[in-house]
Amino acid sequence: MNQQRPTPSLRHGPDPRGFFGDFGGRFVAETLMPLILDLEQEYDAARQDPTFADELASLSADYVGRQSPLYFAERLTEHLGGARIYLKREDLMHTGAHKINNALGQILLARRMGKRRIIAETGAGMHGVATATVAARFGMDCVIYMGSTDIHRQQPNVQRMQLLGAKVIPVTAGDGTLKDAMNEALRDWVTNVDSTFYIIGTVAGPHPYPALVRDFQSVIGREVRDQITAKEGRLPDSLVACIGGGSNAMGLFHPFLDDPEVALVGVEAAGEGLDTPRHAASLKGGRSGVLHGNRTFLLQDDEGQISDAHSISAGLDYPGIGPEHAWLHAIERAEYVAATDREALDAFTLLCRKEGIIPALESSHALAEVIKRAPRLPADHLMVVNLSGRGDKDMATATECLADELGLGKPDQQD
Amino acid sequence: MTTTTTAEGRLARRFAETRQQGRAALVTYIAAGDPDYDTSLATLKGLGEAGADVIELGMPFTDPMADGTAIQHATRRALDAGQTMDKTLEMVRQLRRTDQQTPVVLMGYYNPIYARGVTRFLDQAKAAGVDGLIVVDLPPEHDDELCLPANQAGLNFIRLATPTTDARRLPGVLTNTSGFLYYVSSNGVTGGAAPSAERVQQEVARIREHSDIPIAVGFGIRTAAQARKIGAFADGVVVGSALIDAQASGDTPAEGTQAVLELTRELAQALTGAR
């Protein structure tokens, strides 16, 4: 291994071969290599092209609704009795999650490359909806691969994608979740490589995807820097975000990597518990491996066979994690923790009741860590949580899990 | 390192023989452990006598991203029946007790090898009597991972070239490739549509301008008639998914094995008269 001389900045990755430390790379079939190299070249060109930046900024403002508010969660702060908690309101963006930031950036790249057909994988359906949305906006054909388990638990999003004109293909292999959808999307891509652009939804996959998805999502962290400085006159003390593949966390963290006084906390899905096989915490419960084009931490057995992940939230139900997170974990720049299904549900309910905001179950994992952490911190500690998506899509799951204890759907008694 | 039948020896010798006989080599793929260990071993042991010149033995992986449904299901069946890397290597050891001549190439994905440790895997594969490796998700950009250590260990590293491998990439793809080059006849996953023989012939001719390495053509070749067309100009013809389907076709596992060997005989016969 060639050790490069350490640079003062942590924001310059990946290296020319697509590695963040030991993680990343381009582990794909030969059929895809030329296309991936073209994409890298095209992305480099787009980054130098002011008209690309202008168009992205203009659509981000007028079509997506950016910038997203940084909201001081007064009643949550009061309830937890510690750190001052701010919510970065990605849930208010068009299509209801941060996913649109990336989908929009990538479809502009697809158009530059002359591709007319868009494919994507989706777990919770938020990336699928974002992709179907931008495909409709730019008049492109769109095919979304979605695990059959996820189709069942995220019906409203399936109908939204179809309404937007996308074809939603169910994937029955494996557990019928995000990993299987990604396999199938890769099979489509390798078959239709000439016509098709693959909009990967998270900071994973072969180089340059982890870098370009991160760059498109970094608008989140850049806005937070400006907003918190305007409101509080300084940078935050900690940032908290949930992690499946890790795109909303990476987007929030990346502009702060070189500010060591800002603690970065990523929250994986602990499912039914890290001491059970039913979780999705690749950093806490996995080890280094190669899947879906990159080397990263994976849930796997001794034979290198990939385990099926589990989480109550479809968007976190993935046995891997973006390679830049694996690296930040290895160099200990970010701290990674996990929240169980139960903790996420409790956090989900608390935010509904204290702030009148229904969060996505994914984002509820980040809130679960806030509930544990904030009470132990002083009142002048500034904590920013990425509220990466809204929870309307999760009503079926929430009702199933919380109906009895909260009396959902039963006629209420007049007091 | 020097043994009487080195890896380079077996594959090189086999392609030299078939070239001399004026025919294409028949390269057969089966998934190790499909549908169970004993059946798969029986199939493996019968292939050489049925006319397979080179055997590709698939190492099962949970996420076979470059494979169509036939091989997806086969590797799933194998894993469900308890197939492991140890058992796959044991199959090669068993074969070598009776067959010292037929080259065996392990084919699959990188993670099960990476999980085992590259050095340990290469030592064990070499000792078991493996001749070469085809690892789908390791392009030349990652030669330092496995390709170079494999060559050092005396195992051939067989690379795939595809319709998207243009003139700029081809030299890089050919570098460090040994044994043979696997030309993937169409963009897509295994078990797809049959390729146009005319177009494939042009592509093979294009590659031959750069190298005299034997070129085997695969993806979408299922029947004796298709094999004959490709065998008219290629050094080797790879058949995989059709054999997997044959293995699954029998009412009993033993009948499946007979179906595989029957198809292998037909394919071998077709190649004998192809030119």
Side-chain angles (χ1 to χ4, degrees), chain A residues 34 267 291 348 351:
Chain A
V267 187
L291 180 71
F348 174 85
L351 201 71

Side-chain angles (χ1 to χ4, degrees), chain A residues 17 26-31 33-34 37 179 183 187 190-191 193 288-290 292 295 300 303-306, chain B residues 60-65 67 72 84-85 111 114 136-137 139 141-142 144-145 160 162 164-165 169 187-188:
Chain A
R17 298 172 67 227
R26 287 183 277 228
F27 296 89
V28 295
E30 172 61 23
T31 314
M33 263 323 285
L37 294 171
K179 155 181 99 102
N183 288 336
R187 289 183 189 117
V190 84
T191 308
V193 61
S288 178
V290 174
H292 293 155
R295 173 157 43 226
Q300 56 184 318
E303 288 278 312
Q305 305 294 347
I306 308 304
Chain B
F61 181 50
T62 38
D63 294 79
M65 288 152 287
D67 285 303
Q72 286 176 45
T84 59
M85 189 70 87
N111 200 51
Y114 180 72
V136 182
D137 50 357
E141 280 76 1
H142 288 303
D144 53 334
E145 296 275 341
L160 295 96
T162 71
T164 61
T165 309
R169 280 190 67 73
N187 292 335

Side-chain angles (χ1 to χ4, degrees), chain A residues 151-402:
Chain A
I151 283 183
H152 173 71
R153 57 181 167 173
Q154 306 283 180
Q155 263 304 311
N157 273 346
V158 175
Q159 289 155 6
R160 288 166 81 195
M161 287 183 268
Q162 289 171 331
L163 181 63
L164 291 160
K167 198 186 275 184
V168 181
I169 313 257
V171 180
T172 53
D175 255 12
T177 59
L178 185 51
K179 155 181 99 102
D180 312 298
M182 197 149 178
N183 288 336
E184 210 53 40
L186 284 164
R187 289 183 189 117
D188 179 314
W189 199 24
V190 84
T191 308
N192 301 293
V193 61
D194 293 329
S195 67
T196 298
F197 191 100
Y198 181 12
I199 297 189
I200 293 184
T202 192
V203 285
H207 176 65
Y209 279 100
L212 73 85
V213 175
R214 172 201 69 200
D215 292 346
F216 291 136
Q217 293 293 1
S218 290
V219 66
I220 301 171
R222 287 197 305 272
E223 288 178 2
V224 166
R225 280 187 87 93
D226 293 345
Q227 290 168 314
I228 196 83
T229 307
K231 285 174 197 288
E232 297 279 357
R234 65 180 179 91
L235 293 184
D237 297 296
S238 60
L239 305 174
V240 184
C242 67
I243 296 191
S247 71
N248 88 77
M250 209 59 239
L252 177 63
F253 293 174
H254 194 257
F256 294 92
L257 290 184
D258 288 335
D259 301 291
E261 71 276 21
V262 181
L264 312 175
V265 183
V267 187
E268 296 189 290
E272 294 174 8
L274 292 181
D275 53 346
T276 75
R278 289 178 59 75
H279 64 77
S282 352
L283 288 179
K284 303 301 281 185
R287 62 198 160 82
S288 178
V290 174
L291 180 71
H292 293 155
N294 56 178
R295 173 157 43 226
T296 188
F297 274 72
L298 299 172
L299 299 180
Q300 56 184 318
D301 68 13
D302 291 343
E303 288 278 312
Q305 305 294 347
I306 308 304
S307 311
D308 285 312
H310 165 80
S311 169
I312 192 167
S313 80
L316 305 185
D317 206 342
Y318 181 68
I321 185 167
E324 195 165 8
H325 283 296
W327 174 65
L328 292 174
H329 171 69
I331 64 169
E332 299 183 352
R333 172 62 187 96
E335 180 188 358
Y336 294 88
V337 297
T340 63
D341 290 350
R342 183 68 248 179
E343 290 166 338
L345 281 168
D346 291 343
F348 174 85
T349 309
L350 186 70
L351 201 71
C352 290
R353 296 291 163 99
K354 290 296 174 196
E355 294 289 351
I357 297 171
I358 304 177
L361 281 173
E362 289 76 15
S363 321
S364 300
H365 286 72
L367 294 165
E369 179 60 22
V370 171
I371 292 172
K372 292 179 206 170
R373 194 171 284 249
R376 294 187 265 118
L377 294 166
D380 63 352
H381 182 105
L382 299 179
M383 179 180 279
V384 176
V385 192
N386 202 359
L387 198 63
S388 54
R390 69 181 182 216
D392 310 46
K393 69 184 176 61
D394 295 313
M395 281 315 295
T397 307
T399 308
E400 198 180 303
C401 299
L402 299 171

Side-chain angles (χ1 to χ4, degrees), chain B residues 120-155:
Chain B
R120 177 167 168 238
F121 169 80
L122 291 174
D123 288 349
Q124 292 176 331
K126 180 78 185 163
V130 171
D131 301 287
L133 303 174
I134 303 175
V135 181
V136 182
D137 50 357
L138 283 176
E141 280 76 1
H142 288 303
D143 269 0
D144 53 334
E145 296 275 341
L146 182 66
C147 172
L148 297 178
N151 286 346
Q152 200 112 50
L155 289 167

